[in-house]
Amino acid sequence: LAEVEIPASVQGVLASRIDRLSPPRRGLLQLASVIGKDVPLSLLRSVSGMGERALQAELAGLCAGEFLYEIDLPLGTEYTFKHALTRAVAYEGMLRRNRRELHGRVLAALEVDEAVIPEHLAHHALHGEVWDRAAVHAQQAGLRANARSAWREAIAFFEMALEALAHLPDEPEHRRRAIEVRLGLRVPLGPLGEFGRSAQHLQEARAIAAALGDERRLGPIDTNICLMFTNLGRLQEAIEAGQHSLALATRLEDAPGRLSASYALGQAHWFSGNLAEAERVLAAALPSLRGELRLRDTGTTGTASVLTLVCLSKTYATIGRDAEAAAAAAEARVIAQETRRPYDLSYADIAEGYARLLRGEDAAAVPPLEQALREARAAEIALLVPSIARYLGRAYAAIGRHEAAEALLEEALDLTRAQGLVGLTAWCNLALAHARLARQLDVGPVLEEALALAERHGYRPVMAQVHRLLARLHAEAGRPREAAAAQQAASRLAEMLGMRPETARRKFPVSAAAGIAGLPGPAGGAIVPAAERRGA
């Protein structure tokens, strides 16, 4: 109603007509405007306090005056406003205290009906200023919106819950709810790229939980801090938060919390290049995600079992265990098809596309990655767009779709820079360098940004691949010493991290230039075809 714009002339005419109604009839119309556009007769009967004969007489008068009209439904009679403007004028014409009182009466009547959804209860509780009930119902409505991936709706309801909590006494019960609301709010903020707001809410939640000494809530908070810091380039802090949350969940025998913490910590290790540790943490979670937690919502944006399997698949692919990577991706896809959550579906498609890309199946990688991108865009999951683009852009470039690759990666870089996602910025720059190299364009600035970010924030897999591309560029420019140094740095990092596919790609035109200069070339230094010049 607050968004209905009413021309002054129309408002005057409608207000005049409403003012001419008898007090009982005007009061009934105002009550109907509080209930909503569609007004069940049973609810009017319950809230109005009128006798049946008087109620029917006043309703007949409102219908005759074309304020309302009656409709018969299988579940009972309802009344509907003829025009939204009529409802808006009737509602706004009341004193605030009268509106507040009516909303409270409607809320009391609705709460006894278990079929009424939390969204309606939250609306009436908030406008009735019944703050304790508003906090409860708005939180429930936010959780329901999260479950169907309605991100913006979820944010609105969680913020309503926080508004309600701000009016309540500073008591442990209300403080614990404030933690839960902030944890629920982080779920939709992530896909929309609202990391600044997410960080603020998580820090507030952690301060409250620490003051309460509430370890059961500290664990999920640290899991979410781990996920956020991984994306924001604070990898060491992310790993520490993930280790703390995993240890807490293990000690408290919190199986859902342990699964979520395992995914968060495993992902942080993957980004940092601790691939053996990532595999250990993620593989340890397999028994629980294949049991009762398989489809369980554990408070993460996607289903924890899908997230864990996808991260494990990417870990296997990065260390060259292709069969296991494909199996984990396939298992993630099966679960995603059962949950039908957009984040799950998109994430599972990413795993399949990534595994194919690392096997050198560039054309085959395109369909699942394009499907992942469609799903992410349709569900407004902004975070996944650059995550997909870093792989799909590489696949496009490899099959000759250079313009599509560059357009997608430029879009992704705009997103990552605006959101402060330094890890994905480095990955997307690396992919853009591959796309531009295929067209013999200048890649110096994008490689410089990728390497600077990777070195500053510890994204070592990116560092290995940037050095490998630099080796190629130096060799082609006739700088053998620089080429050899870059190649050695790439090989050393790839071998140290266990990136077997990357280690196998040490053959570059570097060797020819190195030989001319009397320098040792990389192992097996033959010139390789362009089709073999791929990276993770």
Side-chain angles (χ1 to χ4, degrees), residues 394-419:
R394 292 284 298 278
Y396 279 161
I399 63 174
R401 294 178 60 183
H402 305 303
E403 292 183 2
E406 291 192 46
L408 177 61
L409 288 164
E410 292 285 6
E411 176 198 355
L413 282 166
D414 287 341
L415 283 170
T416 60
R417 289 167 180 151
Q419 297 166 3

Side-chain angles (χ1 to χ4, degrees), residues 513-536:
I516 293 171
L519 299 172
I527 296 177
V528 296
E532 293 180 30
R533 298 172 190 167
R534 301 186 181 94

Side-chain angles (χ1 to χ4, degrees), residues 460-526:
R460 294 182 295 173
V462 176
M463 292 166 57
Q465 295 176 58
V466 171
H467 281 303
R468 185 163 59 82
L469 281 188
L470 287 172
R472 172 182 170 184
L473 290 175
H474 287 313
E476 291 175 352
R479 297 188 292 267
R481 290 184 181 277
E482 292 87 345
Q487 184 61 59
Q488 288 168 2
S491 298
R492 184 168 56 250
L493 265 173
E495 289 171 1
M496 179 179 68
L497 301 179
M499 299 168 65
R500 285 196 287 273
E502 185 66 25
T503 303
R505 298 182 183 104
R506 291 179 297 176
K507 303 176 182 179
F508 280 97
V510 176
S511 57
I516 293 171
L519 299 172

Side-chain angles (χ1 to χ4, degrees), residues 7-91:
S9 58
V10 175
Q11 184 173 13
V13 170
L14 290 173
S16 177
R17 289 194 64 211
I18 292 170
D19 287 342
R20 288 198 298 270
L21 296 173
S22 66
R25 191 163 295 177
R26 183 170 63 249
L28 188 62
L29 182 67
Q30 290 171 334
L31 171 59
S33 74
V34 166
I35 292 173
K37 180 181 180 297
D38 301 313
V39 187
L41 174 60
S42 58
L43 184 56
L44 266 181
R45 184 182 291 122
S46 173
V47 179
S48 69
M50 290 181 171
E52 186 65 24
R53 181 175 298 178
L55 177 63
Q56 292 296 338
E58 300 303 339
L59 284 171
L62 289 171
C63 289
E66 296 190 342
F67 293 98
L68 301 175
Y69 68 91
E70 180 181 333
I71 53 176
D72 291 320
L73 298 173
L75 295 179
T77 301
E78 279 192 358
Y79 289 85
T80 298
F81 279 84
K82 276 278 189 178
H83 303 288
L85 294 181
T86 302
R87 182 188 169 211
V89 172
Y91 186 85

Side-chain angles (χ1 to χ4, degrees), residues 4 89 98 122 125 239 242 247 356 408 416 451 455 459 463 495:
V4 176
V89 172
N98 293 342
I239 290 170
R356 291 180 181 181
L408 177 61
T416 60
L451 186 58
E455 289 180 338
Y459 296 106
M463 292 166 57
E495 289 171 1

Side-chain angles (χ1 to χ4, degrees), residues 198-382:
S198 182
Q200 178 183 344
H201 286 302
L202 287 174
Q203 288 163 355
E204 291 169 353
R206 200 179 200 292
I208 298 169
L212 290 171
D214 191 338
E215 288 189 326
R216 285 202 171 272
R217 287 176 174 82
L218 273 174
I221 293 169
D222 279 341
T223 291
N224 284 294
I225 287 175
C226 175
L227 291 168
M228 183 183 63
F229 281 178
T230 296
N231 283 302
L232 296 179
R234 299 164 65 174
L235 282 177
Q236 188 54 47
E237 294 171 89
I239 290 170
E240 290 171 1
Q243 289 171 335
H244 183 249
S245 62
L246 182 57
L248 267 180
T250 301
R251 178 162 60 80
L252 298 174
E253 298 182 348
D254 175 8
R258 182 170 182 172
L259 180 57
S260 295
S262 296
Y263 162 67
L265 181 57
Q267 179 179 253
H269 281 311
W270 185 86
F271 266 88
S272 70
N274 297 327
L275 300 174
E277 190 63 14
E279 181 196 354
R280 184 191 68 78
V281 170
L282 296 164
L286 289 175
S288 64
L289 69 82
R290 288 169 175 160
E292 64 179 41
L293 298 179
R294 185 171 178 272
L295 303 178
R296 177 84 168 267
D297 181 355
T298 62
T300 46
T301 305
T303 305
S305 57
V306 174
L307 303 179
T308 303
L309 285 164
V310 168
C311 196
L312 185 59
S313 173
K314 291 172 66 176
T315 302
Y316 284 144
T318 307
I319 61 179
R321 288 159 60 178
D322 294 345
E324 289 162 288
E331 188 175 354
R333 173 179 287 279
V334 170
I335 299 174
Q337 289 172 340
E338 291 182 49
T339 69
R340 303 306 301 172
R341 296 176 72 181
Y343 202 102
D344 293 348
L345 292 165
S346 181
Y347 215 52
D349 283 329
I350 291 173
E352 184 177 344
Y354 180 77
R356 291 180 181 181
L357 190 65
L358 260 66
R359 291 197 300 268
E361 301 169 6
D362 302 314
V366 169
L369 291 172
E370 287 184 331
Q371 178 63 18
L373 187 61
R374 284 192 293 270
E375 290 157 345
R377 291 194 193 280
E380 295 187 278
I381 310 175

